[in-house]
Amino acid sequence: MVDARPEVRPAPRLRVIFLGPPGAGKGTQAARLAAWGKVPRVSTGDMLREAIAAGTDLGRQVGPLMEKGSLVPDELLIGIIQERLLGKDCRNGYILDGFPRTLRQAQGFETMVGGDLTEEMLVFDVEVPRSELLRRLSGRRWCPTCQSTYHVDNKPPRADMLCDREGAQLIQREDDKEVAVARRLAEYDERTAPLIDYYRGRSRFFRVNGYRPPDAVFQELTRIAEGRA
Ligand code: ADP
Ligand code: ADP
């Protein structure tokens, strides 16, 4: 008997890399895009902060580096990502937020997933002027329980400095203070910005203006992801 059901196509996979300096809005957009595409957001910053909070060996190793705004060694990050992407929830895709951040990491990732997948990846380079980055980072507040992010002016919590979800006291990340921010921006310029050229020729690369309201940025990202831009 001929099966008259329409062909069931597997959903297209959504695999995204977010480039862009600290404060560009990667985390904000990655979370929205993950919910939209029903794939996990894989944030290396969140994973490392969880390890610190849990007091694991990894956490003890990376804590002092993160606090002063230095990047964590490539091998550690490549190992973490390799293990995370084996998760069942990553089968239909994932949104990488904060990885890769160096050429070594990008090459490690390419070895992990192969050249074909690298070609299929959507890479968003979110651009924001430096003065705005400083304003966003100095005003960013964070829930140590659920890792939600707020901003004192742009996205304040409903109740004064308490997490909308957890009710926990919001705090400023140690690395969002001035000295560490300067180091993070320098690390970005030196080690992460070269990835723009690396991915431009290798993936579906898009430069996105992040200096707009979050909704406008998100609309553009979804248009691109749907192949409408
Ligand atoms: P990143 O992950 O790139 O460091 P975040 O998503 O954490 O950036 O955003 C940095 C800060 O700026 C947060 O406090 C966030 O609430 C705020 N923010 C994010 N996107 C925008 C935007 N489009 N306009 C204004 N503020 C934003
Ligand atoms: P941001 O919101 O500023 O982009 P993240 O939360 O992504 O910051 O990262 C915070 C810190 O975690 C970085 O400054 C670095 O110390 C460490 N880190 C996160 N991802 C990586 C990575 N891919 N390679 C090296 N260090 C990383």
Side-chain angles (χ1 to χ4, degrees):
M1 214 174 85
V2 178
D3 189 344
R5 283 176 308 176
E7 186 187 352
V8 181
R9 290 175 190 275
R13 301 208 223 189
L14 181 65
R15 289 199 191 76
V16 176
I17 289 175
F18 272 97
L19 298 179
K26 302 181 299 294
T28 301
Q29 297 298 334
R32 290 184 68 169
L33 202 60
W36 175 84
K38 300 189 179 57
V39 293
R41 163 178 170 244
V42 175
S43 158
T44 44
D46 281 4
M47 290 162 85
L48 294 172
R49 280 184 290 273
E50 271 163 27
I52 293 173
T56 62
D57 284 349
L58 173 69
R60 276 193 293 278
Q61 201 175 341
V62 303
L65 289 170
M66 285 177 73
E67 193 161 310
K68 63 178 192 213
S70 298
L71 290 181
V72 167
D74 291 330
E75 274 59 39
L76 285 179
L77 266 298
I78 293 170
I80 289 171
I81 285 291
Q82 188 145 28
E83 194 180 319
R84 178 66 188 87
L85 297 189
L86 289 174
K88 272 190 186 161
D89 59 334
C90 290
R91 268 195 209 149
N92 289 328
Y94 39 81
I95 313 287
L96 291 177
D97 169 14
F99 178 93
R101 255 182 161 100
T102 67
L103 216 46
R104 279 279 296 277
Q105 291 178 21
Q107 287 158 349
F109 180 66
E110 187 151 351
T111 305
M112 225 181 279
V113 301
D116 287 358
L117 262 196
T118 309
E119 270 173 41
E120 188 198 297
M121 295 286 303
L122 271 176
V123 180
F124 293 126
D125 171 32
V126 186
E127 297 271 315
V128 170
R130 196 115 319 183
S131 55
E132 172 69 4
L133 292 178
L134 297 176
R135 200 183 67 82
R136 288 187 188 179
L137 291 171
S138 61
R140 175 158 66 185
R141 295 294 180 271
W142 169 74
C143 172
T145 309
C146 72
Q147 305 234 30
S148 303
T149 295
Y150 298 83
H151 189 278
V152 289
D153 304 317
N154 303 348
K155 195 189 167 204
R158 281 196 295 271
D160 194 30
M161 285 308 129
L162 298 179
C163 179
D164 291 350
R165 278 199 237 164
E166 301 290 336
Q169 183 75 45
L170 300 181
I171 54 174
Q172 182 174 36
R173 272 168 46 180
E174 210 45 52
D175 63 346
D176 276 344
K177 296 180 180 167
E178 210 174 320
V179 178
V181 162
R183 189 187 288 261
R184 284 160 67 207
L185 290 172
E187 290 271 44
Y188 171 80
D189 290 340
E190 201 177 305
R191 305 189 60 197
T192 309
L195 293 186
I196 293 173
D197 278 341
Y198 180 85
Y199 282 114
R200 209 196 296 271
R202 255 190 200 79
S203 298
R204 295 153 66 204
F205 176 91
F206 293 87
R207 177 162 275 182
V208 175
N209 172 11
Y211 191 26
R212 294 178 292 171
D215 284 351
V217 180
F218 183 62
Q219 261 187 26
E220 182 172 353
L221 300 183
T222 52
R223 263 205 311 274
I224 294 171
E226 286 175 333
R228 290 189 288 119

